[in-house]
């Protein structure tokens, strides 16, 4: 179901995109799902969404996710995990 959920981040309705960001953030923070390349890429791409409310929420959630998931880990692990997102 995760690929289908990630596709909701591209939905034409801003409300669906905001709800999806919120849901994915909660699932990631509670460790119900793992952060994979495709998912982190889609989440980071919502930071440049056309809707300002989606952009603001995405920026807050991505920063929050990175703090929760990566703060205890060395910086090299964080860079290695996120680097493919920025090379596309």
């Amino acid at each position: 179901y995760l690929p289908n959920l990630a596709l909701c981040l591209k939905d034409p309705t801003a409300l669906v995109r905001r709800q999806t960001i919120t849901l994915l953030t909660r699932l990631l923070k509670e460790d119900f799902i793992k952060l994979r390349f495709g998912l982190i890429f889609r989440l980071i791409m919502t930071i440049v969404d056309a809707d300002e409310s989606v952009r603001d929420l995405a920026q807050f959630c991505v920063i929050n996710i990175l703090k929760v998931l990566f703060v205890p880990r060395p910086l090299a692990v964080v860079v290695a995990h996120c680097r493919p997102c920025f090379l596309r």
Side-chain angles (χ1 to χ4, degrees), residues 4-5 7 10-11 27 30-33 36-37 39 41 47 57-59 61 63 70 75-76 82-87:
N4 292 337
L5 190 57
L7 285 176
K10 289 188 168 190
D11 193 87
L27 291 172
E30 294 295 325
D31 210 23
F32 282 110
I33 58 175
R36 305 267 183 222
F37 167 72
L39 183 57
F41 178 74
I47 293 175
L57 178 64
Q59 184 176 10
C61 288
I63 289 170
F70 291 124
L75 183 60
C82 297
R83 188 173 158 201
C85 294
F86 301 110
L87 296 177

Side-chain angles (χ1 to χ4, degrees), residues 20-86:
T20 304
I21 292 168
T22 303
L23 177 63
L24 287 172
T25 301
R26 287 182 180 173
L27 291 172
L28 285 164
K29 286 176 68 178
E30 294 295 325
D31 210 23
F32 282 110
I33 58 175
K34 299 293 180 194
L35 194 57
R36 305 267 183 222
F37 167 72
L39 183 57
I40 194 169
F41 178 74
R42 294 207 189 239
L43 279 171
I44 289 173
M45 289 307 296
T46 59
I47 293 175
V48 293
D49 194 271
D51 187 87
E52 183 178 358
S53 65
V54 174
R55 281 194 312 262
D56 292 342
L57 178 64
Q59 184 176 10
F60 172 79
C61 288
V62 167
I63 289 170
N64 197 321
I65 290 167
L66 293 176
K67 282 182 184 178
V68 169
L69 297 179
F70 291 124
V71 165
R73 298 181 185 162
L75 183 60
V77 173
V78 176
V79 171
H81 197 76
C82 297
R83 188 173 158 201
C85 294
F86 301 110

